[in-house]
Amino acid sequence: RLHLVTWNVGTASPPPDVTSLLQLDSLGPAMDMYVIGLQEVNSRITNFLSDLAFDDPWSIFFMTVLSPLGYIKLSSVRMQGLLLLIFVKHIHLPFIRDIHTHYTRTGLYGYWGNKGGVTVRMSLYGHTICFMNCHLPAHMENTEQRLDDFEKILEMQFEGENIPSTLDHDVLFCFGDLNFRIADYGIHFVRESINNKRYNLLWDKDQLNMAKKKEAFLQEFIEGPLQFKPTYKFDLYSDVYDTSEKKRKPAWTDRILWRVKNLCQHASKEGEFSEEEQTISVTLNNYISHMSYGISDHKPVTGTFGLELKPLLTDPLVTLNPEGEWSAAHDVIISYSAVPEFPSSAWDWIGLFKVVAFRHVNDCVTYTWVEDDEISSNKDSKQVYMSAAEIPDMGGEYLLCYYSNNLRSIVGISQPFQIQPNRALIEKDRTQEENSWMQKPDNLEPHNEF
């Protein structure tokens, strides 16, 4: 289950609550992956430079919301105001590999990153998946420029790298503030159609729908029905369309498209397609806007998808387990085994993560080098140790992750387990506190001097 968000946030700060945006109040099963594409994240030069050194406020915000629910930030990429974040459930980490990011500038003829696209691609259970967040040129008259930039971004991602092109991935999601407008109709007809919820009257004049009929590169992309109000342009903190002097005509600027490669290949071979060949399918469960969010002049749009995969990978590259009872009273042992083809490195490490604070791979409490700290090895498994001094005294629920330097990703993860509190140290601290309190003088009555 994949939940995808696109939102032009108009340089605003995160809202107080995103429960409905992320469908955290849904009665259905939890999502496996969140893909969040933002446009117009505050990109003033001071903000951008500080965000390069540290996580930006939006990344921190979504990590704070999702990490207690068992999601970690798998990857992110930023280009000025464009930000793409991907969060996944812990259980899927060992089956996500070959993660790469890229960006393409199209603003000021390719010299400025206020417009363009940012991309994250990966192998998910052996299938190649690509996510592309775009911000295309604005204004009614720039349709051709939007289409040219869209095609350019598709072609330039990962160009010259030993990575499949975007269109060669099994599944490609393209989304963002694509800025397509409603042509021909006047503002009064558009608004009247919206007020009467007769959105279908506007579909034929939507520039993206019109382009899909004549542009070959768009014809293999699928989009859900536009059964929600156009998401641009609103007065801030309201559901009222633009009342400024410009009175922008409403438009479905914020869109989610997807493309399944094997469906495209078989579409031209009618009658030859067999069910066995279909190893991955994408089902749109929900395509909606969220009118309650008013921090910018765009409303966010979400798509909830079911990805049905025939797993091409069924075993993690590394299996690891904590040995015996863990506490800070003594050194502890980790045993692990790797598949024969695993490309291990001297720079591989195993990290200890607190379950409720596991936001991304940098959040390990401590780690051990798999070669430097090895204590035993045979053809079936190896053992490494962690020093007692590194184990948290207070205990709690933790898990272990094996990080591969060559693959730049977590390739093995243990089941959550308990670390016992170090009762001797806790008791010692409590005794010291009591002794310190008992040694305080009794004559602590306040007094005044005149």
Side-chain angles (χ1 to χ4, degrees):
R1 286 172 58 82
L2 162 69
H3 190 70
L4 197 153
V5 177
T6 178
W7 193 4
N8 183 322
V9 297
T11 74
S13 299
D17 182 79
V18 286
T19 298
S20 64
L21 181 70
L22 301 181
Q23 295 195 356
L24 301 178
D25 50 2
S26 170
L27 297 177
M31 301 298 166
D32 296 288
M33 179 181 289
Y34 283 97
V35 177
I36 301 167
L38 306 179
Q39 306 87 40
E40 291 193 25
V41 173
N42 193 337
S43 59
R44 288 180 298 185
I45 193 68
T46 51
N47 294 81
F48 184 59
L49 291 176
S50 67
D51 291 348
L52 288 177
F54 310 99
D55 278 316
D56 64 277
W58 281 93
S59 297
I60 293 169
F61 171 74
F62 281 113
M63 284 192 289
T64 302
V65 171
L66 290 171
S67 65
L69 304 176
Y71 299 91
I72 77 154
K73 189 179 82 171
L74 177 76
S75 184
S76 66
V77 56
R78 179 166 183 192
M79 181 185 72
Q80 284 179 226
L82 276 169
L83 176 64
L84 178 56
L85 302 165
I86 298 184
F87 295 85
V88 296
K89 279 284 193 182
H90 301 160
I91 190 173
H92 301 298
L93 287 174
F95 305 99
I96 301 176
R97 302 173 193 172
D98 303 323
I99 304 165
H100 295 270
T101 64
H102 204 278
Y103 61 84
T104 297
R105 301 184 184 97
T106 59
L108 284 180
Y109 307 101
Y111 290 100
W112 190 240
N114 65 319
K115 296 290 191 294
V118 292
T119 303
V120 176
R121 63 87 57 194
M122 68 191 71
S123 166
L124 176 66
Y125 289 91
H127 299 273
T128 54
I129 312 288
C130 189
F131 300 98
M132 193 171 83
N133 173 26
C134 300
H135 194 182
L136 301 182
H139 306 306
M140 178 71 70
E141 66 275 12
N142 286 332
T143 310
E144 292 305 316
Q145 186 64 51
R146 280 189 278 279
L147 292 169
D148 288 347
D149 284 5
F150 197 4
E151 191 168 19
K152 178 182 177 182
I153 295 165
L154 283 167
E155 291 172 352
M156 292 188 67
Q157 298 297 299
F158 310 116
E159 189 177 42
E161 300 182 40
N162 189 26
I163 297 169
S165 71
T166 53
L167 295 175
D168 281 331
H169 285 74
D170 296 327
V171 181
L172 167 62
F173 289 92
C174 294
F175 48 92
D177 180 359
L178 305 186
N179 253 322
F180 290 102
R181 308 304 171 98
I182 297 172
D184 299 339
Y185 296 141
I187 188 170
H188 296 296
F189 178 78
V190 171
R191 289 193 175 187
E192 190 66 22
S193 300
I194 295 168
N195 290 338
N196 292 324
K197 296 185 178 180
R198 300 185 70 185
Y199 309 130
N200 60 304
L201 298 179
L202 308 175
W203 292 344
D204 285 344
K205 296 299 181 181
D206 172 78
Q207 291 175 336
L208 179 55
N209 285 341
M210 294 166 71
K212 286 179 70 176
K213 295 175 182 176
K214 63 177 184 176
E215 298 289 342
F217 82 96
L218 285 175
Q219 288 172 5
E220 294 174 345
F221 282 94
I222 306 167
E223 183 182 18
L226 297 169
Q227 301 283 13
F228 49 87
K229 294 171 69 170
T231 52
Y232 173 85
K233 173 181 173 135
F234 288 89
D235 291 345
L236 295 184
Y237 299 103
S238 80
D239 56 3
V240 176
Y241 284 107
D242 187 17
T243 59
S244 71
E245 289 183 5
K246 293 182 178 179
K247 285 190 170 57
R248 296 283 189 202
K249 188 163 58 171
W252 285 289
T253 55
D254 310 280
R255 313 288 278 270
I256 299 173
L257 311 175
W258 73 96
R259 177 184 184 274
V260 182
K261 181 183 174 186
N262 54 4
L263 288 183
C264 303
Q265 290 173 337
H266 291 293
S268 60
K269 301 178 181 178
E270 192 172 351
E272 296 180 25
F273 177 76
S274 67
E275 198 65 36
E276 289 73 29
E277 291 170 319
Q278 181 75 11
T279 59
I280 182 169
S281 64
V282 178
T283 303
L284 177 66
N285 297 326
N286 210 354
Y287 189 36
I288 58 173
S289 64
H290 296 261
M291 296 297 293
S292 63
Y293 294 93
I295 61 172
S296 81
D297 53 4
H298 290 251
K299 300 300 182 184
V301 170
T302 61
T304 305
F305 296 87
L307 270 64
E308 191 169 342
L309 309 169
K310 180 180 180 181
L312 305 178
L313 299 173
T314 55
D315 297 313
L317 292 173
V318 174
T319 303
L320 67 167
N321 295 290
E323 293 286 332
E325 183 180 275
W326 277 44
S327 82
H330 53 77
D331 292 349
V332 293
I333 305 297
I334 303 162
S335 64
Y336 74 93
S337 59
V339 298
E341 66 272 20
F342 174 61
S344 62
S345 160
W347 296 102
D348 290 355
W349 50 271
I350 296 173
L352 178 68
F353 295 83
K354 190 173 178 65
V355 169
V356 295
F358 189 9
R359 303 186 306 170
H360 56 71
V361 72
N362 296 334
D363 282 330
C364 65
V365 175
T366 186
Y367 65 92
T368 183
W369 296 105
V370 297
E371 286 200 7
D372 290 353
D373 298 320
E374 184 177 298
I375 56 175
S376 74
S377 175
N378 59 50
K379 65 182 181 67
D380 294 322
S381 67
K382 297 182 179 183
Q383 289 186 328
V384 295
Y385 82 98
M386 272 185 183
S387 168
E390 304 295 329
I391 305 302
D393 291 331
M394 299 306 294
E397 189 177 33
Y398 290 80
L399 49 78
L400 297 164
C401 293
Y402 187 111
Y403 185 85
S404 165
N405 185 66
N406 286 331
L407 299 178
R408 302 288 180 185
S409 62
I410 290 172
V411 296
I413 187 167
S414 74
Q415 292 293 322
F417 64 98
Q418 290 292 324
I419 294 179
Q420 300 302 317
N422 187 344
R423 303 193 185 285
L425 281 176
I426 293 172
E427 190 62 36
K428 180 181 177 183
D429 289 343
R430 183 180 297 129
T431 302
Q432 288 176 342
E433 284 182 14
E434 290 174 354
N435 290 340
S436 174
W437 182 82
M438 291 175 66
Q439 289 169 8
K440 289 180 180 178
D442 294 331
N443 57 341
L444 293 180
E445 294 291 332
H447 63 279
N448 295 318
E449 292 182 356
F450 294 93

